Amino acid sequence: MLRFLSLLPATGAVTSLRLGLLLLGMLALIPLDVLAHAVTEGDKGYIQEISGVNLVPFTYLGAKHMVTGYDHILFLFGVIFYLYRLKDVGLYVSLFAIGHSTTMLLGVYFDIGISSFAIDAIIGLSVVYKALDNMGAFQRWLGFQPNPRAATFIFGLCHGFGLATKIQEYDMSREGLVPNLLAFNFGVELGQLLALGAILIAMGYWRRTASFTRYAYTANVAMMTAGFVLFGMQLTGLFVSTSI
């Protein structure tokens, strides 16, 4: 952690610390299952009662799942932070979408079980990674920047496994499984586009102000802090669940 703090410019250290502490407080007030965007009891009960092809309900659940997935939104925020052209935004978002769609569909169809806490801890680290990448930390530490496109796709695969573990909690009927999964995935992409649209609008306004240059580094420090908090909370959940 001291190494991370050494990256802070002297003029922004106090602001970064305040932002980090504010994020810590906000995340601490959010229940762990919400941070993991777990399946609600109402949604789970509904899915367990139905069978066959139900495209509209699963599309809605997919969109809801993505919009309430704070870790996914944080990662996307980091991915597009320094992307100014829609062409680049489309490329990176497509790489992320292909990655998480692939592992989500395969994970559920072949019933690949992974601890939701473990995979969500990795997703928390993906937020940390992207924030450090935006801060130029890898260039400074390693002398080169890891391929951002490959990293986005690989972390998309991890995020997809996170989605797969949540879908498995629905205990979906095998009848109509494939079309329902495709509908859920369509909903996820729809929710992602909605969240991305809101982020792009907010970023567009912010980039036109002088405060963007002044606080862009600080914002990534805050995002890195949030990623570490998410990682720590999920790791705690993993230890607690395995000790029970």
Side-chain angles (χ1 to χ4, degrees):
M1 182 60 72
L2 290 176
R3 190 176 184 183
F4 293 138
L5 291 176
S6 67
L7 290 170
L8 294 175
T11 55
V14 175
T15 304
S16 299
L17 181 60
R18 288 175 179 172
L19 257 171
L21 290 174
L22 178 61
L23 276 168
L24 282 170
M26 291 173 64
L27 289 170
L29 295 174
I30 302 174
L32 187 59
D33 60 343
V34 173
L35 287 172
H37 42 87
V39 178
T40 64
E41 287 302 318
D43 291 340
K44 187 174 182 178
Y46 171 75
I47 295 303
Q48 290 174 342
E49 291 177 359
I50 62 175
S51 62
V53 178
N54 295 273
L55 301 182
V56 174
F58 279 99
T59 299
Y60 165 76
L61 289 171
K64 176 183 176 182
H65 200 83
M66 176 56 76
V67 171
T68 57
Y70 302 102
D71 44 11
H72 295 293
I73 294 174
L74 268 175
F75 182 76
L76 284 174
F77 174 70
V79 167
I80 68 169
F81 196 88
Y82 284 120
L83 297 180
Y84 293 88
R85 298 186 303 176
L86 285 178
K87 177 183 177 181
D88 293 330
V89 172
L91 173 62
Y92 279 85
V93 172
S94 296
L95 287 170
F96 180 73
I98 292 171
H100 76 65
S101 295
T102 300
T103 48
M104 185 196 76
L105 294 171
L106 294 178
V108 176
Y109 187 79
F110 291 105
D111 197 24
I112 302 174
I114 299 177
S115 168
S116 60
F117 288 114
I119 196 66
D120 281 338
I122 295 173
I123 291 173
L125 286 181
S126 74
V127 176
V128 174
Y129 175 91
K130 194 56 203 174
L132 289 172
D133 187 37
N134 288 344
M135 293 156 62
F138 298 118
Q139 185 70 41
R140 198 172 309 172
W141 295 344
L142 306 175
F144 69 93
Q145 181 188 28
N147 190 312
R149 296 179 182 178
T152 301
F153 176 73
I154 291 170
F155 281 124
L157 295 173
C158 295
H159 282 239
F161 269 124
L163 288 169
T165 59
K166 300 305 181 298
I167 296 174
Q168 289 170 354
E169 293 178 20
Y170 284 122
D171 193 20
M172 294 167 56
S173 170
R174 301 298 294 187
E175 183 183 349
L177 178 62
V178 172
N180 287 338
L181 280 178
L182 292 175
F184 187 93
N185 187 67
F186 174 75
V188 166
E189 301 307 329
L190 184 61
Q192 179 174 285
L193 287 174
L194 290 173
L196 188 63
I199 293 172
L200 286 173
I201 291 172
M203 289 293 291
Y205 281 108
W206 187 26
R207 285 168 177 166
R208 288 196 290 269
T209 67
S211 66
F212 179 75
T213 303
R214 190 179 307 127
Y215 294 113
Y217 192 94
T218 300
N220 280 282
V221 171
M223 184 169 67
M224 179 189 72
T225 304
F228 274 125
V229 172
L230 289 168
F231 170 74
M233 294 184 75
Q234 296 300 336
L235 208 59
T236 301
L238 176 63
F239 289 143
V240 171
S241 64
T242 54
S243 62
I244 295 177

